[in-house]
Every structure is written in structure tokens, then in C-alpha cells.
Amino acid sequence: MRTLYPDIEPFDSGLLDVGDGQSIYWETSGNPDGKPVVFLHGGPGAGSGPAHRRLFDPSRYLIVVLDQRGCGRSLPHASEPGFDLATNTTWHLVADLELLREHLGVVRWQVFGGSWGSTLALAYAETHPDRVSELVLRGIFTLRRSELAWFYEGAGANEVLPDLWGGFLAPVPVDERGALIQAYHRLLNDPDPAVHGPAAVAWATWEASAITLLPRPELVAAFADPVYALAFARIENHYFVNEGWMEDGQLIANASVLRDIPTVIVQGRYDLCTPAVTAWDLHEALPEAEFRLIPDAGHAFDEPGILDALIEATDRFAAN
């Protein structure tokens, strides 16, 4: 089984002004003359971390990692009072990736994304297919209404995790529980910390509790950090209320434009956050892609079977 490459440090980093008063954090590590790859984190709003550099052979890849608008080390941060999410949309993030690619002098790059990162990877690749050398996608999420309902509206995941669902419901008044994403939108944007704080932690810990096949308390505790949780929950909810600024099913419907891009789809069979049906639907729309359904995994990128499949793909593509 393949495991993460050893820890490495960036050799360059910075803040890129992308307009709208926003600056995104970026870093490069690995081989400055290597094959370019960009890692797209999840959420939206989860931010990136040092482990993400370790998915790629540092001797063969120029590894680009960034924090998307409003989260991680990007500025301003969505946890700040009065933060305006109006210019934080799927298509702003697609444009940011093009600005970053040009800033770094990259002609084409491999695009690697999991969970929300797979959404952004598909949106970017369908907009700029000539700039993508390969796609590595994990835990496929496309913001279809059925996907949002499954995890956030009580249409499936709640029946698998009934002991945890009550925590997600707790901040929401009983008369608002028929439209939970919309109810959370009100709570998370309430200026009172006594309102938005508990709502953010409830939203973030519900997600963290479902990411792995087996419980991982330290991961749940990290998501419960109040500053992290507020940015994460606000950004995610903003995207979900607006259905990603896409037509329902748009990314899968347009997948045919990716047929000339070598693509690997890695999916945990027991993924509760982004159920396998979405990965299957993408595979059927893009039969040229390699489809890996991991039999003993949930959603997290570092579960053993998923990690092995991801690194096998990046190792193989490094030679192209």
C-alpha cells in the first residue's frame, strides 16, 4: 500500500491579489522544474495543509497548493466580522486558478481535487480543458440538489448516523427544520456570536464526524475550532444556498469535454458525505476515465485504500 511522501517545506509562497479585495495564499514545493500539479482542497472553505504536499513525488512534481478565497491563509478570512461572500463563487475560484497559473508561468498542469475540490476541478477543467494535463478526482461532489439533500436536509445520511444528526439539528428552531441549509444560512450570518458560533461548530462537526469510515475524534476536534468552523461553515453554506451558481447536474452533463484528458476517479464505497452514486454517474458520463471504487473506505483522502489509489495515479502520471 502506498503512503504519503515524506514531509517537505515550500520553496516559495505568497499572496496573490485576485481582485474584489481578495488575496489568495499559494505555495510551491517539490521540484521547481518538475511536472506541474495543483491541489484543490475541499469544503469549500476547508483550506489546505502540509499533508497535501505529500500526495506527490517531490522529485518529479512542481507541487502547487493554495487556499481558496476566504479560508486558510487567504485574506480576508470568512470568520471576520462583516466578511462579504458576494465575490466568493465557483466561477470566481475558477478565474483565480487561471490567474495563479499565469502568475506561476505554468502552461498546463495536472488538477487534483477531492470532495469540493473535485467540484472545482471539474468546473475548471470544463472551462479550460486546454490547460489541464490530467485530472485526479476523489470523493466526487457536484452540488446536485440530491447530493445536498442527502447530507444536509435529512434525506439519507441522517438515517446512517442518527446519533450524530441531533447535534446538527440542535441549533435550528423546530419550525425551520424543513429547510436546513436555508435555516443555517440565517444562523451563520447572524451578527451575534452566541448565534453564529454554536451553529458553525454544529455544521462543521457534523461533517467531520462523517468523513471517515471509522471515527476519528481528533479530526472532529480540529473542525470544532471556533475560527476554523465559522469560516468553513459560512463558505460551505453560501455555496450550497446558491447551488454552486450552476444548473442542477451541470458538471456531469458537460463531462464530455473532458474526454481527451486522462482522468482517474477514486471513490470510497462507504462515503457518507459524497455517496458513490455521484462518482458512478460521472464515470458513466465519462467512460474514458479510470474508475476506482475502494471497498473499505469512506470519504477521507488519507484512508489507506483511497490514499494508495491516489498516489498510484500521481506516480503514474508523473512520467507523462
Side-chain angles (χ1 to χ4, degrees):
M1 295 285 279
R2 295 165 181 82
T3 59
L4 292 171
Y5 280 95
D7 281 314
I8 53 171
E9 293 297 322
F11 62 78
D12 198 7
S13 63
L15 286 168
L16 178 64
D17 184 346
V18 292
D20 307 312
Q22 305 277 326
S23 294
I24 60 167
Y25 171 83
W26 61 269
E27 63 181 41
T28 48
S29 58
N31 182 351
D33 299 316
K35 179 185 181 71
V37 60
V38 61
F39 175 88
L40 304 182
H41 65 68
S48 61
H52 298 144
R53 306 170 195 142
R54 301 173 60 194
L55 289 157
F56 313 97
D57 183 342
S59 70
R60 297 196 287 174
Y61 275 102
L62 168 64
I63 305 161
V64 181
V65 174
L66 69 143
D67 291 330
Q68 297 155 29
R69 293 190 182 204
C71 68
R73 292 149 288 186
S74 293
L75 299 173
H77 198 264
S79 64
E80 297 174 10
F83 183 86
D84 185 3
L85 284 162
T87 58
N88 195 330
T89 73
T90 303
W91 307 111
H92 285 92
L93 301 190
V94 167
D96 292 351
L97 287 173
E98 269 298 273
L99 284 173
L100 179 59
R101 182 189 61 76
E102 293 170 357
H103 175 74
L104 297 175
V106 170
V107 177
R108 297 171 75 231
W109 50 9
Q110 181 184 127
V111 180
F112 181 114
S115 194
W116 157 257
S118 73
T119 318
L120 182 56
L122 288 167
Y124 175 81
E126 290 177 8
T127 306
H128 301 285
D130 56 326
R131 298 303 182 186
V132 180
S133 58
E134 301 94 12
L135 281 167
V136 180
L137 307 173
R138 185 269 309 165
I140 308 304
F141 179 51
T142 66
L143 264 81
R144 293 183 296 184
R145 290 172 193 148
S146 59
E147 297 169 46
L148 295 174
W150 161 270
F151 196 67
Y152 297 100
E153 296 287 6
N158 60 304
E159 296 190 4
V160 183
L161 300 171
D163 52 329
L164 303 174
W165 182 244
F168 185 70
L169 291 179
V172 182
V174 173
D175 62 354
E176 294 184 50
R177 292 181 182 177
L180 288 164
I181 294 174
Q182 191 64 51
Y184 262 99
H185 186 69
R186 179 185 67 78
L187 295 169
L188 292 167
N189 290 285
D190 192 296
D192 185 354
V195 176
H196 65 239
V201 171
W203 178 285
T205 54
W206 161 246
E207 185 157 332
S209 298
I211 285 176
T212 53
L213 183 61
L214 298 176
R216 199 180 290 179
E218 72 281 4
L219 182 65
V220 178
F223 272 63
D225 173 79
V227 174
Y228 178 89
L230 186 55
F232 176 77
R234 278 180 171 168
I235 295 172
E236 272 203 342
N237 180 267
H238 168 67
Y239 274 70
F240 300 165
V241 162
N242 289 286
E243 298 180 347
W245 300 271
M246 296 181 285
E247 296 296 322
D248 194 39
Q250 176 178 325
L251 295 177
I252 292 175
N254 293 344
S256 61
V257 305
L258 308 175
R259 283 181 174 161
D260 294 331
I261 300 174
T263 299
V264 175
I265 300 167
V266 178
Q267 177 70 40
R269 179 175 288 281
Y270 299 107
D271 186 336
L272 293 181
C273 295
T274 60
V277 64
T278 303
W280 182 255
D281 290 346
L282 177 62
H283 171 55
E284 291 204 311
L286 190 62
E288 297 83 358
E290 177 184 333
F291 181 67
R292 299 284 305 276
L293 187 61
I294 309 304
D296 57 351
H299 183 69
F301 82 95
D302 57 355
E303 293 184 83
I306 290 177
L307 186 61
D308 177 67
L310 292 174
I311 295 181
E312 189 279 329
T314 62
D315 282 353
R316 177 158 37 96
F317 285 149
N320 295 353

